[in-house]
Amino acid sequence: MKFLCQMQVTFPESMSPEEVAQKQAEEKEYSQALQRSGEFEAIYRVVGKYANVSIFEVESNQRLHEILSGFPMFPYMSIETTALATHPNAI
């Protein structure tokens, strides 16, 4: 199953720069492992925002939920998820 996820991160103002840097490092490690596994197909930065658009290819809704809730930044994310299907005009 293929999904488009739009993610926006908002850290609390009370979070120190060191805590933010730690979360960013953990996030990079986690997301790159998922990319290597093939479940995380693509990630694109949204210009001008601390946000991204990502494509996931997973076996189920449950697996996507496990992946998303496993992100170290998950408590600070707003996520909009859209299931995707092949378009009949796709080559």
Side-chain angles (χ1 to χ4, degrees):
M1 301 175 75
K2 196 174 292 270
F3 294 91
L4 169 75
C5 295
Q6 298 177 37
M7 303 180 219
Q8 177 129 10
V9 178
T10 305
F11 289 115
E13 290 183 24
S14 62
M15 188 176 272
S16 73
E18 294 79 19
E19 290 172 306
V20 170
Q22 179 63 38
K23 288 293 180 194
Q24 290 169 327
E26 293 169 1
E27 189 85 0
K28 182 176 183 177
E29 183 177 331
Y30 182 78
S31 68
Q32 288 182 348
L34 287 168
Q35 289 173 67
R36 284 190 283 279
S37 79
E39 289 183 299
F40 194 168
E41 286 190 355
I43 183 169
Y44 301 94
R45 170 74 61 212
V46 176
V47 176
K49 296 182 179 182
Y50 195 178
N52 72 72
V53 175
S54 298
I55 304 290
F56 292 89
E57 176 71 42
V58 294
E59 64 187 36
S60 66
N61 295 340
Q62 180 62 34
R63 179 60 185 141
L64 180 63
H65 180 74
E66 291 167 2
I67 287 171
L68 296 177
S69 61
F71 277 105
M73 292 184 193
F74 181 75
Y76 316 107
M77 287 180 172
S78 171
I79 304 172
E80 185 177 320
T81 303
T82 305
L84 300 174
T86 302
H87 195 282
N89 294 348
I91 295 176

Coordinates of all heavy atoms in Angstrom, one line a residue:
M1 N 0.8 -1.2 0.0 CA 0.0 0.0 0.0 C 0.9 1.2 0.0 O 1.9 1.3 0.7 CB -0.9 0.0 1.2 CG -1.8 -1.2 1.3 SD -2.8 -1.3 2.9 CE -4.0 0.0 2.5
K2 N 0.5 2.2 -0.8 CA 1.3 3.4 -0.9 C 0.6 4.6 -0.3 O -0.6 4.7 -0.4 CB 1.6 3.7 -2.4 CG 2.7 4.7 -2.6 CD 3.1 4.9 -4.1 CE 3.7 3.7 -4.7 NZ 5.1 3.6 -4.6
F3 N 1.4 5.4 0.5 CA 0.8 6.5 1.2 C 1.6 7.7 1.0 O 2.9 7.7 0.9 CB 0.8 6.2 2.7 CG -0.2 5.1 3.1 CD1 0.2 3.8 3.2 CD2 -1.5 5.4 3.4 CE1 -0.6 2.8 3.5 CE2 -2.4 4.4 3.7 CZ -1.9 3.1 3.8
L4 N 1.0 8.9 0.9 CA 1.6 10.2 1.0 C 1.4 10.7 2.4 O 0.2 10.8 2.9 CB 0.9 11.1 -0.1 CG 1.3 12.6 0.0 CD1 2.7 12.8 -0.5 CD2 0.3 13.4 -0.7
C5 N 2.4 11.2 3.0 CA 2.3 11.8 4.3 C 2.9 13.1 4.3 O 4.1 13.3 3.9 CB 3.0 10.9 5.4 SG 2.3 9.3 5.6
Q6 N 2.1 14.1 4.8 CA 2.6 15.5 4.9 C 2.8 15.7 6.4 O 1.9 15.5 7.2 CB 1.6 16.4 4.4 CG 1.3 16.2 2.9 CD 0.2 17.2 2.4 OE1 0.1 18.3 2.8 NE2 -0.6 16.6 1.5
M7 N 4.1 16.0 6.8 CA 4.5 16.1 8.2 C 5.0 17.5 8.5 O 5.9 18.0 7.7 CB 5.5 15.1 8.5 CG 5.1 13.7 8.3 SD 6.5 12.6 8.7 CE 6.4 11.4 7.4
Q8 N 4.5 18.1 9.5 CA 5.0 19.4 10.0 C 5.5 19.2 11.4 O 4.8 18.6 12.2 CB 3.9 20.5 9.9 CG 4.4 21.8 10.4 CD 4.2 23.0 9.5 OE1 3.5 22.8 8.5 NE2 4.7 24.1 9.8
V9 N 6.7 19.8 11.7 CA 7.2 19.7 13.1 C 7.1 21.0 13.8 O 7.5 22.0 13.2 CB 8.7 19.2 13.0 CG1 9.3 19.1 14.4 CG2 8.8 17.8 12.3
T10 N 6.7 21.0 15.0 CA 6.7 22.2 15.9 C 7.2 21.7 17.3 O 6.5 21.0 18.0 CB 5.2 22.7 16.0 OG1 4.7 23.0 14.7 CG2 5.3 24.0 16.8
F11 N 8.4 22.2 17.6 CA 9.0 21.9 18.9 C 8.5 22.9 19.9 O 8.2 24.0 19.6 CB 10.5 22.0 18.8 CG 11.2 20.8 18.1 CD1 11.9 21.1 16.9 CD2 11.1 19.5 18.5 CE1 12.5 20.1 16.2 CE2 11.7 18.5 17.8 CZ 12.4 18.8 16.7
P12 N 8.3 22.4 21.1 CA 7.9 23.4 22.2 C 9.0 24.4 22.4 O 10.2 24.1 22.3 CB 7.6 22.5 23.4 CG 8.2 21.2 23.1 CD 8.4 21.1 21.6
E13 N 8.6 25.6 22.7 CA 9.5 26.7 23.0 C 10.4 26.3 24.2 O 11.6 26.8 24.2 CB 8.8 28.0 23.2 CG 8.2 28.6 22.0 CD 7.5 29.9 22.2 OE1 7.9 30.6 23.1 OE2 6.6 30.2 21.4
S14 N 10.0 25.5 25.1 CA 10.7 25.1 26.2 C 11.9 24.2 25.9 O 12.7 23.9 26.8 CB 9.8 24.5 27.3 OG 9.2 23.3 26.8
M15 N 11.9 23.6 24.7 CA 12.9 22.6 24.4 C 14.2 23.3 24.0 O 14.2 24.3 23.3 CB 12.4 21.8 23.2 CG 13.4 20.6 22.9 SD 12.7 19.6 21.5 CE 11.7 18.4 22.5
S16 N 15.3 22.9 24.7 CA 16.6 23.5 24.5 C 17.1 23.2 23.1 O 16.8 22.1 22.5 CB 17.6 23.0 25.5 OG 18.0 21.7 25.3
P17 N 18.1 24.0 22.6 CA 18.7 23.7 21.3 C 19.4 22.3 21.3 O 19.4 21.7 20.3 CB 19.7 24.8 21.1 CG 19.1 26.0 21.9 CD 18.5 25.3 23.1
E18 N 19.9 21.9 22.4 CA 20.6 20.6 22.5 C 19.6 19.5 22.4 O 19.9 18.5 21.7 CB 21.4 20.5 23.8 CG 22.5 21.5 24.0 CD 22.1 22.9 24.4 OE1 21.0 23.1 24.9 OE2 22.9 23.8 24.1
E19 N 18.4 19.6 23.0 CA 17.4 18.6 22.9 C 16.9 18.5 21.4 O 16.6 17.4 20.9 CB 16.2 18.9 23.8 CG 16.6 18.8 25.3 CD 15.4 19.3 26.2 OE1 15.0 20.5 26.0 OE2 15.0 18.5 27.0
V20 N 16.7 19.7 20.8 CA 16.3 19.7 19.4 C 17.3 19.0 18.5 O 17.0 18.1 17.7 CB 16.0 21.1 18.9 CG1 15.9 21.2 17.4 CG2 14.9 21.8 19.6
A21 N 18.6 19.3 18.7 CA 19.7 18.7 17.9 C 19.7 17.1 18.1 O 19.9 16.4 17.2 CB 21.0 19.3 18.3
Q22 N 19.4 16.7 19.4 CA 19.4 15.3 19.7 C 18.2 14.6 18.9 O 18.4 13.5 18.3 CB 19.3 15.0 21.2 CG 19.2 13.6 21.6 CD 20.5 12.8 21.2 OE1 21.6 13.3 21.3 NE2 20.3 11.6 20.7
K23 N 17.1 15.2 19.0 CA 15.9 14.7 18.3 C 16.2 14.6 16.8 O 15.8 13.6 16.1 CB 14.7 15.5 18.5 CG 14.1 15.3 19.9 CD 13.6 13.9 20.1 CE 13.0 13.8 21.5 NZ 12.8 12.4 21.9
Q24 N 16.8 15.6 16.2 CA 17.1 15.7 14.8 C 18.1 14.5 14.4 O 17.9 13.9 13.4 CB 17.7 17.0 14.4 CG 16.7 18.1 14.4 CD 17.3 19.5 14.3 OE1 18.4 19.8 14.8 NE2 16.5 20.4 13.7
A25 N 19.1 14.3 15.2 CA 20.0 13.2 15.0 C 19.3 11.8 15.0 O 19.5 11.0 14.2 CB 21.2 13.3 16.0
E26 N 18.5 11.7 16.0 CA 17.7 10.4 16.1 C 16.8 10.2 15.0 O 16.6 9.1 14.4 CB 16.9 10.4 17.4 CG 17.8 10.3 18.7 CD 17.0 10.6 20.0 OE1 15.7 10.8 19.9 OE2 17.6 10.6 21.0
E27 N 16.1 11.3 14.5 CA 15.2 11.3 13.4 C 15.9 10.9 12.1 O 15.4 10.1 11.3 CB 14.6 12.6 13.3 CG 13.5 12.7 12.3 CD 12.1 12.3 12.9 OE1 12.0 12.0 14.1 OE2 11.1 12.3 12.1
K28 N 17.1 11.4 11.9 CA 17.9 11.1 10.7 C 18.2 9.6 10.7 O 18.1 8.9 9.7 CB 19.2 11.9 10.7 CG 20.0 11.7 9.4 CD 21.2 12.7 9.4 CE 22.0 12.5 8.2 NZ 23.1 13.4 8.1
E29 N 18.7 9.1 11.8 CA 19.1 7.7 11.9 C 17.9 6.8 11.6 O 17.9 5.8 10.8 CB 19.7 7.4 13.2 CG 20.1 6.0 13.4 CD 20.8 5.7 14.7 OE1 21.3 6.6 15.3 OE2 20.7 4.5 15.2
Y30 N 16.7 7.1 12.2 CA 15.5 6.3 12.1 C 15.0 6.3 10.6 O 14.7 5.3 10.0 CB 14.5 6.8 13.0 CG 13.1 6.1 13.0 CD1 13.0 4.9 13.6 CD2 12.0 6.6 12.4 CE1 11.8 4.2 13.6 CE2 10.8 6.0 12.4 CZ 10.7 4.7 13.0 OH 9.5 4.1 13.0
S31 N 14.9 7.6 10.0 CA 14.4 7.7 8.7 C 15.3 7.1 7.6 O 14.8 6.5 6.7 CB 14.1 9.2 8.4 OG 15.3 9.9 8.2
Q32 N 16.6 7.2 7.8 CA 17.5 6.6 6.8 C 17.4 5.0 6.9 O 17.5 4.4 5.8 CB 18.9 7.1 7.0 CG 19.0 8.5 6.5 CD 20.4 9.1 6.6 OE1 21.3 8.5 7.3 NE2 20.6 10.3 6.0
A33 N 17.2 4.5 8.1 CA 17.1 3.0 8.2 C 15.8 2.6 7.4 O 15.8 1.6 6.7 CB 17.0 2.6 9.6
L34 N 14.7 3.3 7.5 CA 13.5 3.0 6.8 C 13.7 3.2 5.3 O 13.1 2.4 4.5 CB 12.4 3.9 7.3 CG 11.8 3.6 8.7 CD1 10.9 4.7 9.2 CD2 11.1 2.3 8.7
Q35 N 14.4 4.2 4.9 CA 14.7 4.4 3.5 C 15.5 3.2 2.9 O 15.2 2.7 1.8 CB 15.4 5.7 3.2 CG 14.6 6.9 3.5 CD 15.3 8.2 3.4 OE1 15.8 8.6 2.4 NE2 15.5 8.9 4.6
R36 N 16.5 2.7 3.7 CA 17.3 1.6 3.2 C 16.4 0.3 3.1 O 16.6 -0.5 2.3 CB 18.5 1.4 4.1 CG 19.6 2.4 3.9 CD 20.9 2.0 4.6 NE 20.8 2.3 6.0 CZ 21.0 3.5 6.6 NH1 21.3 4.5 5.8 NH2 20.9 3.7 7.9
S37 N 15.4 0.2 4.0 CA 14.6 -1.0 4.0 C 13.6 -1.0 2.8 O 13.0 -2.0 2.5 CB 13.8 -1.1 5.3 OG 12.6 -0.2 5.3
G38 N 13.4 0.2 2.2 CA 12.5 0.3 1.1 C 11.0 0.7 1.5 O 10.2 1.0 0.6
E39 N 10.7 0.8 2.7 CA 9.4 1.2 3.2 C 9.2 2.7 3.0 O 8.1 3.1 2.9 CB 9.1 0.7 4.6 CG 8.9 -0.8 4.8 CD 8.6 -1.2 6.2 OE1 9.4 -0.9 7.1 OE2 7.5 -1.7 6.4
F40 N 10.3 3.4 3.1 CA 10.2 4.9 3.1 C 10.8 5.2 1.7 O 12.0 5.3 1.5 CB 11.1 5.5 4.2 CG 10.9 6.9 4.5 CD1 11.4 7.4 5.7 CD2 10.2 7.8 3.6 CE1 11.3 8.8 6.0 CE2 10.1 9.1 3.9 CZ 10.6 9.6 5.1
E41 N 9.9 5.4 0.7 CA 10.4 5.6 -0.7 C 11.0 6.9 -1.0 O 12.0 7.0 -1.8 CB 9.2 5.3 -1.6 CG 8.8 3.9 -1.8 CD 7.8 3.7 -2.9 OE1 7.4 4.7 -3.5 OE2 7.5 2.5 -3.2
A42 N 10.5 8.0 -0.5 CA 10.9 9.3 -0.8 C 10.6 10.3 0.3 O 9.6 10.2 1.0 CB 10.3 9.7 -2.1
I43 N 11.4 11.3 0.4 CA 11.2 12.4 1.3 C 11.6 13.7 0.6 O 12.6 13.8 0.0 CB 11.9 12.3 2.6 CG1 11.5 13.4 3.6 CG2 13.4 12.1 2.5 CD1 12.0 13.2 5.0
Y44 N 10.7 14.7 0.7 CA 11.0 16.1 0.1 C 10.7 17.1 1.1 O 9.7 17.1 1.8 CB 10.1 16.3 -1.1 CG 10.2 15.3 -2.2 CD1 9.4 14.1 -2.2 CD2 11.2 15.4 -3.1 CE1 9.5 13.2 -3.2 CE2 11.4 14.4 -4.1 CZ 10.5 13.3 -4.1 OH 10.7 12.3 -5.1
R45 N 11.6 18.1 1.2 CA 11.4 19.3 2.1 C 10.3 20.2 1.5 O 10.3 20.4 0.3 CB 12.7 20.0 2.2 CG 12.7 21.4 2.9 CD 12.5 21.4 4.4 NE 13.6 20.7 5.0 CZ 13.4 20.0 6.2 NH1 12.3 19.9 6.7 NH2 14.5 19.4 6.7
V46 N 9.5 20.7 2.3 CA 8.5 21.7 1.9 C 9.2 23.1 2.1 O 9.6 23.4 3.2 CB 7.2 21.7 2.7 CG1 6.3 22.8 2.3 CG2 6.6 20.3 2.5
V47 N 9.4 23.8 1.0 CA 10.1 25.0 1.0 C 9.5 26.0 2.0 O 8.3 26.3 2.0 CB 10.2 25.7 -0.4 CG1 10.9 27.0 -0.4 CG2 11.0 24.7 -1.3
G48 N 10.4 26.6 2.8 CA 9.9 27.7 3.7 C 9.3 27.2 5.0 O 8.8 28.0 5.8
K49 N 9.2 25.9 5.2 CA 8.6 25.3 6.4 C 9.5 24.3 7.0 O 10.3 23.7 6.3 CB 7.2 24.7 6.1 CG 6.2 25.6 5.6 CD 4.9 24.9 5.3 CE 3.8 25.9 4.8 NZ 2.5 25.2 4.6
Y50 N 9.3 24.0 8.3 CA 9.9 22.8 8.9 C 8.9 21.7 8.7 O 8.2 21.2 9.6 CB 10.2 23.1 10.4 CG 11.2 22.1 11.0 CD1 11.6 22.2 12.3 CD2 11.7 21.0 10.3 CE1 12.4 21.3 12.9 CE2 12.6 20.1 10.8 CZ 13.0 20.3 12.2 OH 13.8 19.4 12.7
A51 N 8.9 21.2 7.5 CA 7.9 20.2 7.1 C 8.5 19.4 5.9 O 9.4 19.8 5.2 CB 6.6 20.9 6.7
N52 N 7.8 18.2 5.7 CA 8.2 17.4 4.5 C 7.0 16.7 4.0 O 5.9 16.6 4.6 CB 9.3 16.4 4.9 CG 8.8 15.3 5.8 OD1 8.0 14.4 5.3 ND2 9.1 15.3 7.1
V53 N 7.2 16.2 2.8 CA 6.2 15.3 2.1 C 6.9 14.0 1.9 O 8.0 14.1 1.3 CB 5.7 16.0 0.8 CG1 4.8 15.0 0.0 CG2 5.0 17.3 1.0
S54 N 6.3 12.9 2.3 CA 7.0 11.7 2.2 C 6.1 10.6 1.6 O 4.9 10.7 1.7 CB 7.4 11.2 3.6 OG 8.3 12.1 4.2
I55 N 6.7 9.7 0.9 CA 6.0 8.5 0.3 C 6.5 7.2 1.0 O 7.7 7.0 1.1 CB 6.3 8.4 -1.2 CG1 6.0 9.7 -2.0 CG2 5.6 7.2 -1.8 CD1 4.6 10.1 -2.1
F56 N 5.5 6.5 1.4 CA 5.8 5.2 2.1 C 5.1 4.1 1.3 O 4.0 4.2 0.7 CB 5.2 5.2 3.5 CG 5.9 6.1 4.4 CD1 5.5 7.4 4.6 CD2 7.0 5.7 5.2 CE1 6.1 8.3 5.4 CE2 7.6 6.5 6.0 CZ 7.2 7.9 6.2
E57 N 5.8 2.9 1.2 CA 5.2 1.7 0.6 C 5.3 0.7 1.7 O 6.4 0.2 2.0 CB 6.0 1.3 -0.6 CG 5.6 0.0 -1.3 CD 4.2 0.1 -2.0 OE1 4.0 1.1 -2.7 OE2 3.4 -0.8 -1.9
V58 N 4.1 0.3 2.2 CA 4.0 -0.6 3.4 C 3.0 -1.6 3.2 O 2.1 -1.5 2.3 CB 3.8 0.2 4.7 CG1 4.9 1.1 5.0 CG2 2.5 1.0 4.6
E59 N 3.0 -2.7 4.0 CA 2.1 -3.8 3.8 C 0.7 -3.5 4.4 O -0.3 -4.2 3.9 CB 2.6 -5.0 4.5 CG 2.8 -4.9 6.0 CD 3.5 -6.0 6.7 OE1 4.4 -6.6 6.1 OE2 3.1 -6.4 7.8
S60 N 0.5 -2.5 5.3 CA -0.8 -2.3 5.9 C -0.9 -0.9 6.5 O 0.2 -0.3 6.8 CB -1.1 -3.4 6.9 OG -0.1 -3.2 8.0
N61 N -2.1 -0.5 6.8 CA -2.3 0.7 7.6 C -1.6 0.6 8.9 O -1.0 1.6 9.4 CB -3.8 0.9 7.8 CG -4.6 1.2 6.6 OD1 -4.0 1.6 5.6 ND2 -5.9 1.0 6.6
Q62 N -1.7 -0.6 9.6 CA -1.1 -0.8 10.9 C 0.4 -0.5 10.8 O 1.0 0.1 11.7 CB -1.4 -2.2 11.4 CG -0.8 -2.5 12.8 CD -1.3 -1.5 13.9 OE1 -2.4 -1.1 13.9 NE2 -0.4 -1.2 14.8
R63 N 1.1 -1.1 9.7 CA 2.5 -0.9 9.6 C 2.9 0.6 9.4 O 3.8 1.1 10.0 CB 3.1 -1.7 8.4 CG 4.6 -1.5 8.2 CD 5.4 -2.0 9.4 NE 6.8 -1.7 9.2 CZ 7.6 -1.2 10.1 NH1 7.2 -1.1 11.3 NH2 8.9 -1.0 9.8
L64 N 2.1 1.3 8.7 CA 2.3 2.8 8.5 C 2.2 3.5 9.9 O 3.0 4.3 10.2 CB 1.4 3.4 7.5 CG 1.6 4.9 7.3 CD1 3.0 5.2 6.8 CD2 0.5 5.5 6.5
H65 N 1.2 3.1 10.7 CA 1.0 3.7 12.0 C 2.2 3.4 12.9 O 2.7 4.3 13.6 CB -0.3 3.2 12.6 CG -0.5 3.8 14.0 ND1 -0.9 5.1 14.2 CD2 -0.3 3.2 15.2 CE1 -1.0 5.3 15.5 NE2 -0.6 4.2 16.1
E66 N 2.7 2.2 12.8 CA 3.9 1.8 13.6 C 5.1 2.7 13.2 O 5.9 3.1 14.0 CB 4.3 0.3 13.4 CG 3.3 -0.6 14.0 CD 3.4 -2.1 13.5 OE1 4.4 -2.4 12.7 OE2 2.6 -2.9 14.0
I67 N 5.3 2.8 11.9 CA 6.4 3.6 11.4 C 6.3 5.1 11.9 O 7.2 5.6 12.4 CB 6.5 3.6 9.9 CG1 7.0 2.2 9.4 CG2 7.4 4.7 9.3 CD1 6.9 1.9 7.9
L68 N 5.1 5.7 11.6 CA 5.0 7.1 12.0 C 5.1 7.3 13.5 O 5.8 8.3 13.9 CB 3.6 7.6 11.5 CG 3.4 7.6 9.9 CD1 2.0 8.0 9.6 CD2 4.5 8.4 9.2
S69 N 4.5 6.5 14.3 CA 4.6 6.7 15.7 C 6.0 6.4 16.3 O 6.3 6.8 17.4 CB 3.5 5.9 16.4 OG 3.7 4.5 16.2
G70 N 6.8 5.7 15.5 CA 8.2 5.4 15.9 C 9.1 6.6 15.6 O 10.3 6.5 16.1
F71 N 8.7 7.6 14.9 CA 9.6 8.7 14.6 C 9.9 9.4 15.9 O 9.0 9.7 16.7 CB 9.0 9.7 13.7 CG 9.2 9.4 12.2 CD1 8.1 8.9 11.5 CD2 10.4 9.5 11.6 CE1 8.3 8.5 10.1 CE2 10.6 9.2 10.2 CZ 9.5 8.7 9.5
P72 N 11.2 9.7 16.2 CA 11.5 10.4 17.5 C 10.8 11.7 17.6 O 10.6 12.2 18.7 CB 13.1 10.6 17.4 CG 13.5 9.4 16.5 CD 12.4 9.2 15.5
M73 N 10.5 12.4 16.5 CA 9.8 13.7 16.6 C 8.3 13.5 16.6 O 7.6 14.5 16.5 CB 10.3 14.6 15.4 CG 11.7 15.0 15.4 SD 12.0 16.1 14.0 CE 13.8 16.2 14.1
F74 N 7.8 12.3 16.6 CA 6.4 12.1 16.5 C 5.5 12.9 17.5 O 4.5 13.5 17.1 CB 6.0 10.6 16.7 CG 4.6 10.3 16.6 CD1 3.9 10.2 15.3 CD2 3.9 10.0 17.7 CE1 2.6 9.9 15.3 CE2 2.5 9.7 17.6 CZ 1.9 9.6 16.4
P75 N 6.0 13.1 18.7 CA 5.1 13.9 19.6 C 5.0 15.4 19.2 O 4.1 16.1 19.7 CB 5.9 13.8 21.0 CG 6.7 12.6 20.9 CD 7.1 12.5 19.4
Y76 N 5.9 15.8 18.3 CA 5.9 17.2 17.9 C 5.4 17.4 16.4 O 5.5 18.5 15.9 CB 7.3 17.8 18.0 CG 8.0 17.4 19.3 CD1 9.0 16.4 19.3 CD2 7.5 17.9 20.5 CE1 9.5 16.0 20.5 CE2 8.1 17.5 21.7 CZ 9.1 16.5 21.7 OH 9.6 16.1 22.9
M77 N 4.9 16.3 15.8 CA 4.5 16.3 14.4 C 3.0 16.5 14.3 O 2.2 15.9 15.1 CB 4.9 15.0 13.8 CG 6.3 14.8 13.5 SD 6.5 13.2 12.7 CE 8.2 13.3 12.2
S78 N 2.6 17.2 13.2 CA 1.2 17.1 12.7 C 1.4 16.4 11.4 O 2.1 16.8 10.5 CB 0.8 18.6 12.5 OG -0.5 18.6 11.8
I79 N 0.6 15.3 11.3 CA 0.7 14.4 10.1 C -0.6 14.3 9.4 O -1.6 14.0 10.0 CB 1.2 13.0 10.5 CG1 2.6 13.1 11.2 CG2 1.4 12.1 9.2 CD1 3.1 11.8 11.8
E80 N -0.6 14.5 8.1 CA -1.8 14.3 7.3 C -1.4 13.1 6.3 O -0.4 13.2 5.6 CB -2.2 15.5 6.5 CG -3.4 15.4 5.7 CD -3.8 16.6 5.0 OE1 -3.7 17.7 5.6 OE2 -4.3 16.5 3.8
T81 N -2.2 12.1 6.3 CA -1.9 10.9 5.6 C -3.0 10.6 4.5 O -4.2 10.8 4.8 CB -1.8 9.6 6.5 OG1 -0.9 9.9 7.5 CG2 -1.5 8.4 5.7
T82 N -2.5 10.3 3.3 CA -3.4 10.1 2.2 C -3.0 8.7 1.5 O -1.9 8.6 1.1 CB -3.3 11.2 1.1 OG1 -3.6 12.4 1.7 CG2 -4.3 11.0 0.0
A83 N -4.0 7.8 1.4 CA -3.7 6.6 0.7 C -3.7 6.9 -0.8 O -4.5 7.7 -1.3 CB -4.8 5.5 1.0
L84 N -2.8 6.2 -1.5 CA -2.6 6.5 -3.0 C -2.9 5.2 -3.8 O -2.7 4.1 -3.3 CB -1.1 6.9 -3.2 CG -0.7 8.2 -2.5 CD1 0.8 8.4 -2.8 CD2 -1.5 9.4 -3.0
A85 N -3.4 5.4 -5.0 CA -3.7 4.3 -5.9 C -3.1 4.7 -7.3 O -2.9 5.9 -7.6 CB -5.2 4.1 -6.0
T86 N -2.7 3.7 -8.1 CA -2.2 4.0 -9.4 C -3.2 4.7 -10.2 O -4.4 4.3 -10.3 CB -1.8 2.7 -10.0 OG1 -0.8 2.0 -9.2 CG2 -1.1 3.0 -11.4
H87 N -2.8 5.8 -10.9 CA -3.7 6.5 -11.8 C -3.7 5.8 -13.1 O -2.7 5.3 -13.7 CB -3.1 7.9 -12.0 CG -4.1 8.9 -12.6 ND1 -4.4 8.9 -13.9 CD2 -4.9 9.8 -12.0 CE1 -5.3 9.8 -14.2 NE2 -5.7 10.4 -13.0
P88 N -4.9 5.7 -13.8 CA -5.0 5.0 -15.0 C -4.2 5.7 -16.2 O -3.9 5.0 -17.2 CB -6.5 5.0 -15.4 CG -7.1 6.1 -14.5 CD -6.2 6.2 -13.3
N89 N -3.8 6.9 -16.0 CA -3.0 7.6 -17.1 C -1.5 7.4 -16.9 O -0.7 7.9 -17.6 CB -3.3 9.0 -17.2 CG -4.7 9.3 -17.7 OD1 -5.4 8.4 -18.1 ND2 -5.2 10.5 -17.5
A90 N -1.1 6.8 -15.7 CA 0.3 6.6 -15.4 C 1.0 5.7 -16.4 O 0.4 4.7 -16.9 CB 0.5 6.1 -14.0
I91 N 2.2 6.1 -16.8 CA 3.0 5.3 -17.8 C 3.8 4.3 -17.0 O 4.4 4.5 -16.0 CB 3.9 6.2 -18.6 CG1 3.1 7.1 -19.5 CG2 4.9 5.4 -19.4 CD1 3.9 8.1 -20.2

